[in-house]
Structure formats: structure tokens, C-alpha cells
Amino acid sequence: MRTQVGIIGAGPAGLLLSHLLALEGIESVVLERKSREAVEGTIKAGVLEHWVVDLLRETGVGERLDREATFHDGIELRFLGRGHFIDMRRLTGGKGVTIYAQHEVLKDLIASRLEKGGTLYFGVSGVELDGLNGPHPSIRFRNHEGQPQELVCDFIAGCDGYHGPSRSYIPNRREYLRHYPFGWLGILAEAPPAAPHLIYTNHERGFALLSTRTSKIQRYYLQVDPHDDLAEWPDDRIWDELKARVATEDGFHLVDGPIFQKNIVAMRSFVCETMQYGRLFIAGDAAHTVPPTGAKGLNLAAADVVKLARAFTRYYQHHDDQGLETYSAQCARRVWRAEHFSWFMTTMLHRIPGETEIDRKFQLAQLEYVVRSEASAKSLAENYVGLPPDW
Ligand code: RFL
Ligand code: PHB
């Protein structure tokens, strides 16, 4: 098999890259380890930056988003029993918060690729890369029936997430990593929305986040020990803990309901530099991971592949490899901005095991500053709704 760009991974990075390349007449093949059903059923991100929403609309995959997404003007920060609304729309000159589940974005991208004759292989295994320094690198893999295949490419895009193999093919890479001593227990529940915006809470018992999916389904998160077993978290305990953490002095009431999905995720800050080697380019979580408190991961993956698609376009349409040569350098500034913002939101909102009284005082001082200072709120809002894609 032969293609121009071989893409490993059908997450947001891989599928959006394939979609953007197709619009420029550049051929790609996407190889994905999981089944299509598993890709379309994995519950992850929820919040899209405003420019990502515009991009999906402008490139013809925003129709269902416009019908089904939830649009908010801002978020609430809650601490010491009080809520404080951060009006993003006002603070950013009109940019709001869009909630549309990651797997819905993936469904829309997969449907569009297949409708336009794109090639996606699900259920592949044993991916290995070869010839990254030559003109025709290749990907060896087994298809869903276990048969060995080889895909010969002009370029390879490693969009295979934090655990994928692509990154390991970059020699002399430098990896920066921080593990957080807490994780998120996430649930999907049948219940009405808690508020007309997301609520991020810093409580003595730990962090909680009230997000949403539809008018009937809500997505809630609790800070937990990352080593906790789900068996330790029966539904009643989850509701008791959520209600305790989001309580306010004026009697906020959280409506509960049947929980139909639960998982615990670990949290890390991770960056791999550089993001390229020979004809291999890595993007998204394969190159960098953030804790989910800033809602940045999917959006950062999208920003990488916008740059990568542009670099490939320049190469194929103008025989100019400048964009490809500087790809990693072009990504670095935004990657570190998003890494820092995610760390900032995480450390401001979670209870840190082993923290002392003075750490807690510092945290509350930061929260007070964000909700009382226009300049500070504006900075948070600018980062949250998303800096422009070229930043
Ligand atoms: P993904 O989504 O991990 O996709 C990688 C794909 O590669 C496949 N793969 C392989 N395929 C073939 N061969 C192999 N050897 C392979 N190894 C792996 C995998 O099966 C997978 O399909 O990476 P990508 O595309 O870079 O996208 C990153 C995002 O998924 C991630 O950053 C976000 O989900 C993070 N995130 C959030 N981001 C936001 O922008 N806004 C949010 O509100 C937000 N909330 C979240 C989040 C992540 C969360 N979890 C579960 C960690 C909330 C949570 C709880
Ligand atoms: C979500 O709805 O899944 C979500 C919202 C905000 C975050 C992370 C996840 O910061």
C-alpha cells in the first residue's frame, strides 16, 4: 500500500489531520488500534476552544455540533462556600465556552472521511516504523484479521496518544514529566444540568467539577486518589461527596440520578521535545499531555495538526519544506503555554496531599485574585477560551 501521509491513531489529532489534508487534496491513510465502536464510545474531553469550533464549522464538520452542542458564556469558580462567575464572553470580547463531547467530534470526522472515500483501518496491531530518514518511510502493521501489511508513505504522522509507539522513534528527544498525586473520578449521569455554566470547585474535601453533555445527561468529576478502585466508589458515595464539595452557604442543590458510566484517570504534565525526526512528526497527546483541569488537551492536539497540515500543504503545493523543518519549533510556544495554564488551574483548584497551612493560604489568595481582579480574570478567560490558533 502507498499513501502520501501515513497517520497512526484515530483520535482528535489523527482524524482532524486526515480531514484537513483531504481538503488540500493530500492523501492519507489512518491506522487505529481500537475498533471504530471503541473509538466512538470512549468518553473523554468536553470543552472546545472557540477557534476549534470555527474550524470545524468552516471545514464542513460543524453541522451536528451547531445542533447539539451546549454554549456557555463563562465558568464558575467556587470556593469557601461561594460561587464566582467568570464571564468569558465579556472578558474576551465575545468568545464563549462550547461543550461538545470528544467522541461526538470523532464520529463527525470519521463519517466525513468515509463519505469522501478516505481510508481508515481500525483494529490494527503491531505497528512498527521504518526508513524515517529516507524518502519513503513505511509502517508495518497487522490488519484486524492479523494479516501483515506494509504502508509506504512520504511522511508519517504519529498521532497515537501518550501510550503510542511513535514517540519512541525520536532519538535524542528530551522528555519533561510531572505526575500529580491525585486523579479524577468521572461519571456520566442522567440528571438535569446543575447550572447554565460549568462549576469548578475547590473544597476542603477536594476538587469537584460539574460539566454537562446534554439537557438530560451530565458529566461530573471528583478529585480522588489515582490508585482508588472504582469498587470503592459506589453511586451513593459519589453523590454524597459531590454534594458536599459543591455545597454553598446559600443552599445550592445538586440533583442526582442514575450513573451509567464511571472511570478514574491519572493526571500528568508531559512534553516531548523535539516533535519530529526525519520524516516522522508527532502531534497531540503523543507529544504532550496536560491534566484536564484547563480543558486543553484536545484543543492543543488540534492546534498541532493545523500547523502540520499547513506544512504538508506548503510542501506538496509549493515544494517548500520550511514549514516541515520548523514544525516542532512552531508548536513549542503554544504547548508550553497550555502546559503552564493546565498546571496553574490544577494547582489552584485541587487539594494537594501533604500541603501545609501556608500552601492553602496561597491557593485561596490566588483564587480571590482571579475572581476579584479584572486583569487576572481576563488572563484566565483568554487562556480558557483559547488563544488564536497561530499563537
Ligand atoms: P488520543 O485521543 O489518545 O488518540 C490516540 C489514538 O491512537 C491510538 N493508538 C494507536 N493506533 C495504532 N497503533 C498503535 N500502536 C496505537 N497506540 C495508540 C489510540 O487507540 C487512540 O485512538 O490522542 P490525541 O488524538 O492526541 O487527542 C488527545 C485528546 O484525546 C486528549 O488530549 C483530551 O481528551 C484531553 N481532555 C480534554 N481536552 C480538551 O481539550 N478539553 C477537555 O475538556 C478535556 N477534558 C480530557 C478531558 C481528557 C480526559 N481523560 C480521559 C484523560 C477530560 C478527561 C477525563
Ligand atoms: C468535560 O466536560 O469532560 C470537561 C470539562 C472541563 C474540563 C475537563 C473536562 O476542564
Side-chain angles (χ1 to χ4, degrees):
M1 286 191 293
R2 180 83 187 80
T3 193
Q4 290 178 303
V5 182
I7 300 175
I8 308 164
L15 288 170
L16 184 60
L17 177 62
S18 177
H19 171 65
L20 296 175
L21 291 178
L23 294 172
E24 298 294 343
I26 301 166
E27 220 182 81
S28 66
V29 170
V30 179
L31 305 177
E32 166 59 48
R33 187 170 50 87
K34 294 193 283 193
S35 67
R36 178 175 176 185
E37 294 67 38
V39 169
E40 294 185 342
T42 303
I43 311 298
K44 280 190 165 185
V47 176
L48 302 181
E49 292 181 357
H50 75 97
W51 70 270
V52 174
V53 174
D54 290 346
L55 176 74
L56 296 173
R57 284 180 180 144
E58 284 158 15
T59 61
V61 284
E63 201 182 301
R64 204 163 62 90
L65 181 155
D66 273 326
R67 272 202 320 273
E68 297 179 13
T70 305
F71 302 95
H72 290 165
D73 288 338
I75 61 167
E76 181 180 327
L77 297 181
R78 199 172 272 192
F79 58 99
L80 301 179
R82 283 202 195 162
H84 306 263
F85 185 62
I86 308 285
D87 188 339
M88 308 261 172
R89 191 111 32 216
R90 184 182 66 77
L91 291 160
T92 63
K95 292 167 190 159
V97 178
T98 302
I99 298 107
Y100 187 60
Q102 172 163 333
H103 65 281
E104 304 296 349
V105 177
L106 298 185
K107 279 186 207 168
D108 296 342
L109 287 168
I110 290 170
S112 165
R113 290 308 300 120
L114 293 176
E115 191 191 302
K116 300 207 167 67
T119 312
L120 314 175
Y121 286 89
F122 291 96
V124 310
S125 56
V127 161
E128 284 179 26
L129 314 187
D130 211 359
L132 297 172
N133 277 315
H136 293 297
S138 65
I139 310 173
R140 275 179 274 117
F141 64 99
R142 289 182 184 273
N143 67 15
H144 69 286
E145 288 169 333
Q147 279 150 357
Q149 311 259 298
E150 186 174 17
L151 177 64
V152 179
C153 321
D154 295 341
F155 298 100
I156 296 174
C159 302
D160 46 359
Y162 180 72
H163 299 286
S166 301
R167 185 172 66 244
S168 67
Y169 288 89
I170 303 178
N172 303 327
R173 66 189 182 281
R174 173 106 195 248
E175 296 190 349
Y176 302 83
L177 175 65
R178 167 163 304 173
H179 289 289
Y180 294 86
F182 41 78
W184 277 14
L185 165 66
I187 63 161
L188 282 173
E190 277 171 45
H197 48 252
L198 270 56
I199 300 174
Y200 288 79
T201 307
N202 177 327
H203 187 271
E204 296 296 327
R205 302 175 69 96
F207 169 79
L209 167 60
L210 305 183
S211 181
T212 186
R213 285 296 177 265
T214 68
S215 60
K216 297 193 174 70
I217 296 174
Q218 310 314 317
R219 177 73 164 151
Y220 296 157
Y221 296 100
L222 278 175
Q223 173 183 355
V224 298
D225 186 309
H227 308 295
D228 275 4
D229 198 317
L230 276 177
E232 296 164 54
W233 285 96
D235 295 5
D236 286 351
R237 182 178 175 206
I238 293 175
W239 286 118
D240 288 349
E241 200 58 41
L242 274 170
K243 287 176 185 177
R245 294 187 192 184
V246 300
T248 57
E249 49 187 33
D250 55 4
F252 173 81
H253 179 64
L254 182 68
V255 179
D256 58 29
I259 295 175
F260 60 94
Q261 209 265 354
K262 284 185 207 178
N263 63 339
I264 294 180
V265 294
M267 318 240 288
R268 64 178 79 82
S269 294
F270 168 77
V271 178
C272 171
E273 283 179 338
T274 141
M275 292 166 60
Q276 62 192 90
Y277 174 68
R279 288 185 169 236
L280 168 68
F281 301 85
I282 61 171
D285 274 21
H288 40 69
T289 316
V290 289
T293 330
K296 285 284 154 263
L298 179 162
N299 296 297
L300 194 54
D304 288 350
V305 300
V306 163
K307 295 184 178 94
L308 191 51
R310 201 182 294 150
F312 283 136
T313 305
R314 214 165 136 182
Y315 175 86
Y316 283 110
Q317 292 179 0
H318 306 288
H319 311 288
D320 175 357
D321 60 8
Q322 182 70 18
L324 287 171
E325 270 174 19
T326 60
Y327 165 68
S328 186
Q330 287 176 58
C331 293
R333 181 172 43 199
R334 189 188 194 87
V335 167
W336 283 110
R337 177 86 297 277
E339 289 284 344
H340 178 270
F341 179 68
S342 304
W343 166 86
F344 161 75
M345 289 288 280
T346 302
T347 50
M348 179 171 72
L349 288 162
H350 289 73
R351 301 313 306 275
I352 318 288
E355 73 188 2
T356 60
E357 272 184 322
I358 195 169
D359 296 320
R360 180 73 179 140
K361 290 285 188 192
F362 287 154
Q363 211 179 40
L364 292 170
Q366 178 62 55
L367 280 161
E368 293 284 358
Y369 183 50
V370 167
V371 302
R372 278 175 213 291
S373 150
E374 176 88 0
S376 183
K378 210 168 186 160
S379 165
L380 186 144
E382 173 183 59
N383 281 276
Y384 194 90
V385 302
L387 290 154
D390 273 325
W391 203 88

